Amino acid sequence: MPKTAEAAIQANEELVACYKRIIELLGEDTAREGLLKTPERVAKAMQFLVKGYDEDPEAVLRSAMFREEGYKQMVIVKDIDFFSLCEHHLLPFFGKIHVAYIPKNYITGLSKIPRVIDIFARRLQIQERLTMQIKDCIQQTLNPLGVMVVVEAQHMCMQMRGVEKQNSLTTTSDFTGFFRQTQTREEFMNLIKG
Ligand SMILES: [Zn+2]
């Protein structure tokens, strides 16, 4: 990742040149009016879509961490929209993420969970690793009694290439601590279905 402004400008210029070449190799005319600024736009869009590399998700959680020793029930944030890029095809996968944790000594501001999701989603990803990284980040930072993450996604690399059912959803989940108990997982799954 570019460390300085100068390096960032250079990376951007190289990306523009590469995308211009890619469009030519795909058989298009880069001098055509509609495509003139496309390499610049794609370079900028891609840099935005992977900007999560430059951000620290644990720092985001710690920025709003509060001591709370009384509340020992599930904290649930559900239906969080996310958009990511699959690292195998550089095509989007997107959907909804549901997170639950059971606090031990600390809670975090509820808006911080979607921020953490954004940071991990804005990298080249696979759904399984995205699920695990969100879980690990919350576990390591808040040290709760348990955390569970469920990701439901549609993958454009499956749908646009027509190899799978058009509307198939891929679901992944990962958990720690109290969520190892079937009953606790079921309680969470029932709450997110509603
Ligand atoms: Zn893919």
Side-chain angles (χ1 to χ4, degrees):
M1 273 297 103
K3 295 264 185 308
T4 63
E6 209 172 292
I9 290 166
Q10 203 199 330
N12 180 268
E13 282 172 3
E14 285 182 28
L15 277 170
V16 172
C18 288
Y19 279 120
K20 191 171 179 222
R21 185 66 187 133
I22 288 168
I23 294 166
E24 282 167 5
L25 289 170
L26 293 173
E28 261 288 2
D29 172 11
T30 51
R32 190 158 70 72
E33 203 190 342
L35 290 177
L36 276 178
K37 289 202 169 241
T38 299
E40 278 167 50
R41 282 188 293 251
V42 178
K44 211 175 160 191
M46 289 301 282
Q47 283 176 313
F48 176 80
L49 295 176
V50 300
K51 75 189 180 80
Y53 288 116
D54 293 328
E55 298 171 305
D56 180 352
E58 293 196 5
V60 166
L61 281 188
R62 274 195 221 98
S63 73
M65 210 165 113
F66 310 103
R67 203 162 175 89
E68 167 56 65
E69 286 168 6
Y71 189 79
K72 293 278 185 275
Q73 302 303 313
M74 255 181 232
V75 177
I76 296 174
V77 188
K78 68 172 189 172
D79 294 327
I80 306 163
D81 291 317
F82 80 96
F83 299 88
S84 191
L85 286 176
C86 98
E87 68 182 17
H88 300 134
H89 303 92
L90 302 191
L91 287 171
F93 71 98
F94 59 92
K96 292 199 181 297
I97 299 187
H98 317 287
V99 174
Y101 70 97
I102 303 168
K104 185 153 83 182
N105 296 319
Y106 292 98
I107 56 168
T108 188
L110 292 180
S111 68
K112 301 300 170 188
I113 305 258
R115 284 272 298 119
V116 164
I117 289 171
D118 262 354
I119 292 171
F120 286 119
R122 288 191 180 138
R123 298 176 181 185
L124 301 185
Q125 277 289 8
I126 58 172
Q127 186 176 335
E128 294 85 343
R129 189 172 64 229
L130 175 64
T131 311
M132 194 181 69
Q133 286 178 333
I134 297 163
K135 173 212 70 174
D136 285 343
C137 177
I138 295 169
Q139 183 62 48
Q140 285 160 19
T141 310
L142 301 181
N143 191 29
L145 297 172
V147 57
M148 180 159 174
V149 177
V150 176
V151 180
E152 298 171 320
Q154 304 183 53
H155 291 251
M156 286 299 109
C157 61
M158 285 162 68
Q159 298 189 0
M160 290 179 78
R161 299 186 311 151
V163 289
E164 295 286 330
K165 286 208 177 92
Q166 295 291 304
N167 291 311
S168 66
L169 267 188
T170 306
T171 304
T172 48
S173 64
D174 203 355
F175 48 83
T176 66
F178 281 18
F179 288 93
R180 291 198 179 94
Q181 296 164 12
T182 314
Q183 202 189 336
T184 313
R185 282 204 302 283
E186 276 172 1
E187 186 185 334
F188 176 46
M189 294 308 280
N190 284 334
L191 285 165
I192 63 178
K193 265 175 212 152

